[in-house]
Amino acid sequence: MVDDWRISNRVLQIQKSAIHEMTRLSKEIDDVAFLSWAKPTSDTPEHIKKAAIDAINKGKVGGYSENNGLLELRKEISKKLKRDNNIDSVPSQLVVTVGAVEGLSAAIMALIDPGDEVILPSPTYSTHIQQVVLASGKPILVPTIEEKEFDLDLDAIRKSINPKTKAIMYCSPSNPTGTVFSEKTLQELAGIALENNLMVITDEAYEYFTYDGHRHFSIGSIPEMKKNVVSCFTFTKSYAMTGWRIGYLHADETLIPQISKAHIPFAICAAVVSQYAAIAALKGSQNCIKDFRNHYLSNRDLMCKRLNELDSVFDYQIPRGSYLMFPKILLDEGSDSTTFCKKLLKDARVSATPGIAFGPTGEKHLRLSFCVTEEMINKAFDRMERYFN
Ligand SMILES: Cc1ncc(COP(=O)(O)O)c(C=O)c1O
């Protein structure tokens, strides 16, 4: 840890992100085959951009909106939650946030006291770990079951609960493993939360990207869980709106004013221009979601096929959702995933994210993104085949 009296212990505890480190190193090398970023490569659909430009031209975006977001947007979100997530809501149960990430941060700030434990099925999106640490909570990483496609280990979760446990936080479909937790599993998880008076915080960023008949299930749709869930969503992935920084959360009506108290000092409100864009995203054609999904599915199949040809180097679980996968490195050098990925970058010009970035259970793995072009996947695997053979 850096010894600098100026810096808070909370921030000092946060590890530098391996994702950004790999991005930086990748920029130093020419013509890298890039599989390390989980960002949609498509541009935002035209009708969404046009709605934002119209809102600017009509002088609608120069001021703040209501802290919890434009009422018109919250009404559209409410319809979407009913249609796609089976969650009943009214606008007073919603906060429009600066992406899913700010919603998750505000929820954690509102729910977690210093020393409270938060169970995170692991490997997990590293930002979740950092968010808990920033709230002075304690992340408790509970390994998922790799041989079962990184499914939740409900017994292990039960065993890790103690009087300090306050919440369980997960993302499904998962970054980094691509796992989609089934309705049955999440019903059981809900039972555990209810028995132990725990909150559940969800990150449903990849809700629309599921394959092979696996379906996304929102734990917030279980009526008995009404008071125990904060569900976080985003426009980032569904509508290729990464840079617009717009998302939303749903929670019980009595929680919203408290979450809002945490949201305001971070953001006051989400960018108003992005809120108008989000209204257009929800009201307009949903075809882009279908197109993105089909593209990711065909890329997933290609990546799995190419991985099969490298079966002495990698073993993998088929990702049933998201656009990420998390192969295990079978070679001895894989025991240090950071060195492995740096060497892969330098010697084969392929950029992947070291598994350790997703918690200690991620070691010996690397994360690959198939949210790229088919050509990029083929280029990366042609290079890896030459490198490893
Ligand atoms: C699981 C997960 N949650 C949230 C985000 C970021 O979402 P947003 O841009 O809405 O803050 C990402 C981005 O990669 C992600 O993978």
Side-chain angles (χ1 to χ4, degrees):
M1 228 196 272
V2 185
D3 183 15
D4 186 336
W5 62 269
R6 297 170 304 166
I7 315 297
S8 72
N9 283 329
R10 284 189 307 274
V11 165
L12 285 178
Q13 276 181 63
I14 290 176
Q15 315 271 331
K16 205 161 134 198
S17 157
I19 301 175
H20 297 128
E21 173 72 354
M22 285 308 291
T23 309
R24 190 184 63 76
L25 290 174
S26 302
K27 285 196 179 134
E28 291 172 4
I29 295 174
D30 266 353
D31 183 33
V32 171
F34 208 73
L35 301 180
S36 54
W37 225 8
K39 175 174 106 52
T41 40
S42 327
D43 193 11
T44 310
E46 286 305 317
H47 67 282
I48 299 177
K49 294 197 282 190
K50 185 173 175 306
I53 293 164
D54 286 350
I56 293 171
N57 287 337
K58 287 184 183 150
K60 289 158 107 178
V61 307
Y64 297 128
S65 68
E66 296 91 318
N67 298 122
N68 290 352
L70 295 167
L71 183 60
E72 185 186 355
L73 174 55
R74 284 181 289 143
K75 282 183 177 166
E76 288 304 320
I77 292 170
S78 213
K79 285 188 221 162
K80 176 268 177 188
L81 285 176
K82 183 67 196 162
R83 184 189 69 215
D84 293 347
N85 306 91
N86 198 26
I87 294 177
D88 288 313
S89 68
V90 288
S92 56
Q93 295 169 332
L94 301 170
V95 182
V96 177
T97 57
V98 183
V101 157
E102 190 260 325
L104 291 159
S105 291
I108 290 171
M109 280 297 178
L111 300 177
I112 302 303
D113 271 323
D116 281 352
E117 295 190 359
V118 179
I119 293 174
L120 300 154
S122 161
T124 190
Y125 182 44
S126 43
T127 303
H128 295 169
I129 304 174
Q130 294 157 2
Q131 287 169 324
V132 173
V133 170
L134 271 181
S136 300
K138 189 168 173 204
I140 303 296
L141 302 175
V142 176
T144 51
I145 310 170
E146 176 158 7
E147 314 76 65
K148 292 191 179 163
E149 298 182 357
F150 295 99
D151 203 0
L152 286 184
D153 187 340
L154 294 168
D155 284 337
I157 289 176
R158 262 193 207 95
K159 284 187 191 132
S160 64
I161 295 171
N162 68 64
K164 287 189 174 164
T165 311
K166 182 71 187 283
I168 302 168
M169 179 176 184
Y170 68 82
C171 54
S172 176
S174 159
N175 176 1
T177 63
T179 310
V180 181
F181 300 140
S182 70
E183 173 172 350
K184 182 171 171 288
T185 301
L186 292 176
Q187 291 277 5
E188 266 191 67
L189 187 72
I192 296 173
L194 289 171
E195 269 163 41
N196 294 282
N197 256 340
L198 301 179
M199 292 302 298
V200 176
I201 304 165
T202 71
D203 179 343
E204 305 183 38
Y206 298 96
E207 59 180 320
Y208 293 110
F209 306 133
T210 62
Y211 320 115
D212 313 321
H214 289 248
R215 288 172 65 95
H216 175 65
F217 178 74
S218 293
I219 201 166
S221 67
I222 302 173
E224 296 77 10
M225 289 292 282
K226 192 173 158 8
K227 287 187 183 311
N228 294 62
V229 183
V230 181
S231 314
C232 299
F233 300 89
T234 179
F235 291 82
T236 282
K237 317 283 176 191
S238 319
Y239 302 97
M241 290 177 71
T242 308
W244 298 77
R245 309 307 306 126
I246 185 94
Y248 54 96
L249 63 78
H250 169 263
D252 172 44
E253 215 155 28
T254 55
L255 263 185
I256 291 292
Q258 305 302 327
I259 296 177
S260 198
K261 283 200 270 181
H263 160 69
I264 292 169
F266 284 131
I268 300 185
C269 66
V272 178
V273 65
S274 301
Q275 295 193 50
Y276 280 104
I279 292 171
L282 290 175
K283 280 189 164 168
S285 159
Q286 303 298 299
N287 284 346
C288 64
I289 297 179
K290 224 187 298 163
D291 295 344
F292 294 155
R293 184 193 161 276
N294 291 343
H295 172 63
Y296 301 148
L297 175 58
S298 104
N299 275 0
R300 190 237 14 206
D301 291 344
L302 173 64
M303 192 171 268
C304 290
K305 181 168 152 280
R306 298 294 313 249
L307 275 166
N308 291 342
E309 291 155 10
L310 281 174
D311 61 354
S312 58
V313 183
F314 300 114
D315 186 19
Y316 68 90
Q317 304 291 316
I318 300 174
R320 307 297 180 179
S322 83
Y323 42 62
L324 301 158
M325 61 187 300
F326 206 60
K328 183 193 262 176
I329 309 162
L330 300 174
L331 307 177
D332 290 344
E333 302 94 277
S335 57
D336 175 351
S337 59
T338 307
T339 307
F340 182 89
C341 285
K342 282 186 180 166
K343 210 160 166 288
L344 191 66
L345 176 64
K346 192 163 148 284
D347 298 343
R349 284 184 297 141
V350 174
S351 174
T353 308
I356 188 71
F358 306 93
T361 44
E363 195 52 296
K364 296 199 178 79
H365 294 73
L366 80 182
R367 189 190 69 175
L368 301 178
S369 165
F370 45 92
C371 173
V372 292
T373 59
E374 204 180 297
E375 294 75 47
M376 186 69 87
I377 295 174
N378 281 324
K379 183 155 121 178
F381 277 86
D382 289 348
R383 287 178 181 183
M384 284 197 281
E385 274 180 17
R386 280 197 297 275
Y387 177 64
F388 289 116
N389 287 325

